PDB file of all heavy atoms in Angstrom:
ATOM      1  N   ILE H  17      98.430 129.445 116.380  1.00  0.00           N
ATOM      2  CA  ILE H  17      97.220 128.906 117.006  1.00  0.00           C
ATOM      3  C   ILE H  17      97.581 127.744 117.931  1.00  0.00           C
ATOM      4  O   ILE H  17      97.056 127.641 119.046  1.00  0.00           O
ATOM      5  CB  ILE H  17      96.191 128.493 115.941  1.00  0.00           C
ATOM      6  CG1 ILE H  17      95.635 129.742 115.267  1.00  0.00           C
ATOM      7  CG2 ILE H  17      95.069 127.649 116.538  1.00  0.00           C
ATOM      8  CD1 ILE H  17      94.838 129.474 114.012  1.00  0.00           C
ATOM      9  N   ALA H  18      98.474 126.883 117.508  1.00  0.00           N
ATOM     10  CA  ALA H  18      98.881 125.739 118.334  1.00  0.00           C
ATOM     11  C   ALA H  18      99.481 126.204 119.654  1.00  0.00           C
ATOM     12  O   ALA H  18      99.184 125.647 120.715  1.00  0.00           O
ATOM     13  CB  ALA H  18      99.867 124.859 117.576  1.00  0.00           C
ATOM     14  N   VAL H  19     100.309 127.242 119.615  1.00  0.00           N
ATOM     15  CA  VAL H  19     100.952 127.749 120.828  1.00  0.00           C
ATOM     16  C   VAL H  19      99.922 128.332 121.788  1.00  0.00           C
ATOM     17  O   VAL H  19     100.073 128.251 123.008  1.00  0.00           O
ATOM     18  CB  VAL H  19     102.044 128.790 120.474  1.00  0.00           C
ATOM     19  CG1 VAL H  19     102.560 129.505 121.707  1.00  0.00           C
ATOM     20  CG2 VAL H  19     103.193 128.108 119.739  1.00  0.00           C
ATOM     21  N   VAL H  20      98.834 128.866 121.264  1.00  0.00           N
ATOM     22  CA  VAL H  20      97.772 129.435 122.102  1.00  0.00           C
ATOM     23  C   VAL H  20      96.823 128.344 122.600  1.00  0.00           C
ATOM     24  O   VAL H  20      96.416 128.340 123.761  1.00  0.00           O
ATOM     25  CB  VAL H  20      96.990 130.521 121.327  1.00  0.00           C
ATOM     26  CG1 VAL H  20      95.771 130.978 122.097  1.00  0.00           C
ATOM     27  CG2 VAL H  20      97.900 131.698 121.004  1.00  0.00           C
ATOM     28  N   VAL H  21      96.471 127.409 121.748  1.00  0.00           N
ATOM     29  CA  VAL H  21      95.448 126.410 122.062  1.00  0.00           C
ATOM     30  C   VAL H  21      95.952 125.327 123.023  1.00  0.00           C
ATOM     31  O   VAL H  21      95.191 124.866 123.876  1.00  0.00           O
ATOM     32  CB  VAL H  21      94.886 125.788 120.766  1.00  0.00           C
ATOM     33  CG1 VAL H  21      94.018 124.586 121.046  1.00  0.00           C
ATOM     34  CG2 VAL H  21      94.102 126.829 119.993  1.00  0.00           C
ATOM     35  N   VAL H  22      97.202 124.916 122.909  1.00  0.00           N
ATOM     36  CA  VAL H  22      97.710 123.828 123.757  1.00  0.00           C
ATOM     37  C   VAL H  22      97.579 124.164 125.251  1.00  0.00           C
ATOM     38  O   VAL H  22      97.028 123.361 126.007  1.00  0.00           O
ATOM     39  CB  VAL H  22      99.149 123.424 123.364  1.00  0.00           C
ATOM     40  CG1 VAL H  22      99.795 122.568 124.438  1.00  0.00           C
ATOM     41  CG2 VAL H  22      99.129 122.689 122.034  1.00  0.00           C
ATOM     42  N   PRO H  23      98.037 125.326 125.719  1.00  0.00           N
ATOM     43  CA  PRO H  23      97.852 125.628 127.148  1.00  0.00           C
ATOM     44  C   PRO H  23      96.370 125.703 127.555  1.00  0.00           C
ATOM     45  O   PRO H  23      96.012 125.304 128.661  1.00  0.00           O
ATOM     46  CB  PRO H  23      98.536 126.987 127.337  1.00  0.00           C
ATOM     47  CG  PRO H  23      99.517 127.068 126.225  1.00  0.00           C
ATOM     48  CD  PRO H  23      98.878 126.342 125.075  1.00  0.00           C
ATOM     49  N   MET H  24      95.533 126.184 126.659  1.00  0.00           N
ATOM     50  CA  MET H  24      94.097 126.234 126.959  1.00  0.00           C
ATOM     51  C   MET H  24      93.531 124.828 127.107  1.00  0.00           C
ATOM     52  O   MET H  24      92.713 124.564 128.001  1.00  0.00           O
ATOM     53  CB  MET H  24      93.355 127.000 125.858  1.00  0.00           C
ATOM     54  CG  MET H  24      93.665 128.478 125.833  1.00  0.00           C
ATOM     55  SD  MET H  24      93.007 129.347 124.383  1.00  0.00           S
ATOM     56  CE  MET H  24      91.296 128.928 124.418  1.00  0.00           C
ATOM     57  N   GLY H  25      93.977 123.919 126.248  1.00  0.00           N
ATOM     58  CA  GLY H  25      93.522 122.537 126.330  1.00  0.00           C
ATOM     59  C   GLY H  25      93.994 121.861 127.600  1.00  0.00           C
ATOM     60  O   GLY H  25      93.239 121.116 128.243  1.00  0.00           O
ATOM     61  N   VAL H  26      95.240 122.119 127.982  1.00  0.00           N
ATOM     62  CA  VAL H  26      95.790 121.556 129.218  1.00  0.00           C
ATOM     63  C   VAL H  26      94.982 122.047 130.412  1.00  0.00           C
ATOM     64  O   VAL H  26      94.619 121.272 131.304  1.00  0.00           O
ATOM     65  CB  VAL H  26      97.288 121.911 129.355  1.00  0.00           C
ATOM     66  CG1 VAL H  26      97.821 121.588 130.732  1.00  0.00           C
ATOM     67  CG2 VAL H  26      98.102 121.193 128.283  1.00  0.00           C
ATOM     68  N   SER H  27      94.662 123.319 130.423  1.00  0.00           N
ATOM     69  CA  SER H  27      93.853 123.886 131.496  1.00  0.00           C
ATOM     70  C   SER H  27      92.447 123.296 131.514  1.00  0.00           C
ATOM     71  O   SER H  27      91.897 122.996 132.573  1.00  0.00           O
ATOM     72  CB  SER H  27      93.781 125.410 131.339  1.00  0.00           C
ATOM     73  OG  SER H  27      93.004 125.967 132.368  1.00  0.00           O
ATOM     74  N   ALA H  28      91.874 123.095 130.337  1.00  0.00           N
ATOM     75  CA  ALA H  28      90.522 122.522 130.249  1.00  0.00           C
ATOM     76  C   ALA H  28      90.486 121.094 130.796  1.00  0.00           C
ATOM     77  O   ALA H  28      89.443 120.644 131.293  1.00  0.00           O
ATOM     78  CB  ALA H  28      90.036 122.537 128.804  1.00  0.00           C
ATOM     79  N   LEU H  29      91.606 120.382 130.727  1.00  0.00           N
ATOM     80  CA  LEU H  29      91.678 119.029 131.285  1.00  0.00           C
ATOM     81  C   LEU H  29      91.736 119.040 132.811  1.00  0.00           C
ATOM     82  O   LEU H  29      91.522 118.018 133.447  1.00  0.00           O
ATOM     83  CB  LEU H  29      92.900 118.283 130.739  1.00  0.00           C
ATOM     84  CG  LEU H  29      92.851 117.900 129.266  1.00  0.00           C
ATOM     85  CD1 LEU H  29      94.184 117.301 128.835  1.00  0.00           C
ATOM     86  CD2 LEU H  29      91.718 116.927 129.000  1.00  0.00           C
ATOM     87  N   PHE H  31      94.463 120.791 134.559  1.00  0.00           N
ATOM     88  CA  PHE H  31      95.807 121.155 135.008  1.00  0.00           C
ATOM     89  C   PHE H  31      95.865 122.674 135.052  1.00  0.00           C
ATOM     90  O   PHE H  31      96.042 123.332 134.032  1.00  0.00           O
ATOM     91  CB  PHE H  31      96.865 120.601 134.047  1.00  0.00           C
ATOM     92  CG  PHE H  31      96.893 119.098 133.976  1.00  0.00           C
ATOM     93  CD1 PHE H  31      96.258 118.428 132.948  1.00  0.00           C
ATOM     94  CD2 PHE H  31      97.551 118.362 134.944  1.00  0.00           C
ATOM     95  CE1 PHE H  31      96.288 117.045 132.876  1.00  0.00           C
ATOM     96  CE2 PHE H  31      97.589 116.970 134.880  1.00  0.00           C
ATOM     97  CZ  PHE H  31      96.953 116.312 133.852  1.00  0.00           C
ATOM     98  N   VAL H  69     102.908 122.624 132.751  1.00  0.00           N
ATOM     99  CA  VAL H  69     102.371 123.500 131.702  1.00  0.00           C
ATOM    100  C   VAL H  69     101.151 124.257 132.220  1.00  0.00           C
ATOM    101  O   VAL H  69     101.000 125.453 131.980  1.00  0.00           O
ATOM    102  CB  VAL H  69     102.016 122.691 130.433  1.00  0.00           C
ATOM    103  CG1 VAL H  69     101.256 123.540 129.423  1.00  0.00           C
ATOM    104  CG2 VAL H  69     103.280 122.121 129.807  1.00  0.00           C
ATOM    105  N   GLY H  70     100.276 123.570 132.953  1.00  0.00           N
ATOM    106  CA  GLY H  70      99.089 124.218 133.502  1.00  0.00           C
ATOM    107  C   GLY H  70      99.435 125.305 134.496  1.00  0.00           C
ATOM    108  O   GLY H  70      98.776 126.342 134.555  1.00  0.00           O
ATOM    109  N   GLY H  73     102.649 127.579 132.176  1.00  0.00           N
ATOM    110  CA  GLY H  73     102.596 127.809 130.735  1.00  0.00           C
ATOM    111  C   GLY H  73     103.738 127.084 130.038  1.00  0.00           C
ATOM    112  O   GLY H  73     104.497 126.348 130.658  1.00  0.00           O
ATOM    113  N   LEU H  74     103.833 127.290 128.752  1.00  0.00           N
ATOM    114  CA  LEU H  74     104.871 126.634 127.960  1.00  0.00           C
ATOM    115  C   LEU H  74     106.183 127.401 128.053  1.00  0.00           C
ATOM    116  O   LEU H  74     106.196 128.632 128.006  1.00  0.00           O
ATOM    117  CB  LEU H  74     104.455 126.570 126.488  1.00  0.00           C
ATOM    118  CG  LEU H  74     103.263 125.679 126.138  1.00  0.00           C
ATOM    119  CD1 LEU H  74     102.863 125.886 124.689  1.00  0.00           C
ATOM    120  CD2 LEU H  74     103.577 124.228 126.396  1.00  0.00           C
ATOM    121  N   LYS H  79     107.305 126.164 123.310  1.00  0.00           N
ATOM    122  CA  LYS H  79     106.565 126.982 122.333  1.00  0.00           C
ATOM    123  C   LYS H  79     107.111 126.749 120.928  1.00  0.00           C
ATOM    124  O   LYS H  79     106.341 126.654 119.971  1.00  0.00           O
ATOM    125  CB  LYS H  79     106.643 128.466 122.695  1.00  0.00           C
ATOM    126  CG  LYS H  79     105.802 128.827 123.886  1.00  0.00           C
ATOM    127  CD  LYS H  79     105.943 130.306 124.218  1.00  0.00           C
ATOM    128  CE  LYS H  79     105.145 130.644 125.463  1.00  0.00           C
ATOM    129  NZ  LYS H  79     105.274 132.046 125.856  1.00  0.00           N
ATOM    130  N   VAL H  82     105.930 123.138 119.877  1.00  0.00           N
ATOM    131  CA  VAL H  82     104.488 123.111 119.598  1.00  0.00           C
ATOM    132  C   VAL H  82     104.183 123.935 118.348  1.00  0.00           C
ATOM    133  O   VAL H  82     103.386 123.522 117.496  1.00  0.00           O
ATOM    134  CB  VAL H  82     103.689 123.623 120.815  1.00  0.00           C
ATOM    135  CG1 VAL H  82     102.228 123.865 120.468  1.00  0.00           C
ATOM    136  CG2 VAL H  82     103.799 122.640 121.971  1.00  0.00           C
TER     137      VAL H  82
END
Side-chain angles (χ1 to χ4, degrees):
I17 290 168
V19 170
V20 172
V21 170
V22 166
M24 291 171 54
V26 169
S27 180
L29 290 174
F31 297 99
V69 171
L74 293 172
K79 287 179 183 178
V82 169

